[in-house]
């Protein structure tokens, strides 16, 4: 069932890319960040990391980020879109590889986002061992849907 869910999500993303096609422009100046940048978190106690977006004055309709972590050091717990600048936030998790992919999308008549510290999503992790470890972006970016492309709820 889990495999089917991922397949359906992947197919939906492919269809979205097909329909949007060339109606996508990348916000070259936009940047993603993780907050807090550093911290000390006790083993066995969950902590959260916010994925933030600075659009550098460019309008964006969607943002994607893949966060890598060492699965020997951390366990993924959840992704929350509560308080996000995007009306729809989705996730794909590969706990064995240590990757969380997050996508935020403007839907249903919501305005594109322009700003310097917009919350994309909040990710919760659980430390497994008492070691120094890192979270980093394996990939990420933001873009504006254009040419009349829209995505409904």
């Amino acid at each position: 069932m889990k495999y089917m869910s991922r397949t359906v999500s992947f197919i939906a993303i492919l269809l979205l890319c097909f329909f949007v096609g060339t109606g996508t422009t990348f916000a070259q100046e936009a940047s993603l960040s993780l907050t807090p940048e550093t911290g000390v978190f006790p083993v066995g106690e969950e902590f959260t990391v916010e994925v933030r977006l600075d659009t550098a004055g460019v309008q964006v309709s969607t943002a994607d980020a893949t966060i890598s972590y060492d699965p020997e050091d951390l366990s993924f717990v959840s992704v929350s879109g509560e308080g996000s600048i995007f009306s729809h936030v989705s996730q794909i998790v590969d706990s064995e590889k240590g990757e969380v992919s997050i996508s935020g999308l403007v839907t249903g008549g919501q305005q594109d986002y322009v700003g310097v510290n917009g919350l994309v999503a909040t990710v919760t992790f659980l430390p497994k061992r008492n070691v120094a470890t890192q979270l980093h972006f394996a990939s990420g970016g933001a873009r504006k849907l254009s040419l009349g492309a829209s995505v409904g709820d």
Side-chain angles (χ1 to χ4, degrees):
M1 185 69 179
K2 188 182 238 185
Y3 176 75
M4 181 180 273
S5 174
R6 284 187 181 171
T7 302
V8 170
S9 294
F10 181 70
I11 291 169
I13 291 169
L14 282 178
L15 288 174
L16 175 64
C17 291
F18 176 77
F19 286 118
V20 173
T22 59
T24 301
T25 52
F26 288 90
Q28 300 295 338
E29 317 253 335
S31 62
L32 294 163
S33 62
L34 296 173
T35 303
E37 291 180 14
T38 63
V40 177
F41 307 101
V43 173
E45 291 186 26
E46 294 179 357
F47 69 95
T48 60
V49 176
E50 295 177 341
V51 178
R52 296 273 175 178
L53 174 65
D54 178 350
T55 67
V58 178
Q59 290 184 337
V60 298
S61 308
T62 183
D64 303 296
T66 298
I67 301 169
S68 291
Y69 62 94
D70 187 335
E72 297 288 320
D73 300 338
L74 300 172
S75 291
F76 166 80
V77 176
S78 65
V79 169
S80 172
E82 186 174 332
S84 177
I85 55 174
F86 298 107
S87 51
H88 178 75
V89 175
S90 62
Q91 69 190 38
I92 298 174
V93 179
D94 186 338
S95 295
E96 288 182 20
K97 191 175 179 182
E99 287 188 347
V100 179
S101 296
I102 301 164
S103 294
L105 179 67
V106 168
T107 62
Q110 180 187 6
Q111 296 282 327
D112 290 343
Y113 175 74
V114 178
V116 295
N117 197 29
L119 177 65
V120 175
T122 303
V123 186
T124 303
F125 291 97
L126 180 70
K128 292 180 174 180
R129 345 184 266 175
N130 190 16
V131 296
T133 192
Q134 292 184 334
L135 298 171
H136 68 275
F137 288 110
S139 64
R143 62 203 142 280
K144 176 176 176 49
L145 299 176
S146 59
L147 298 176
S150 65
V151 179
D153 286 332

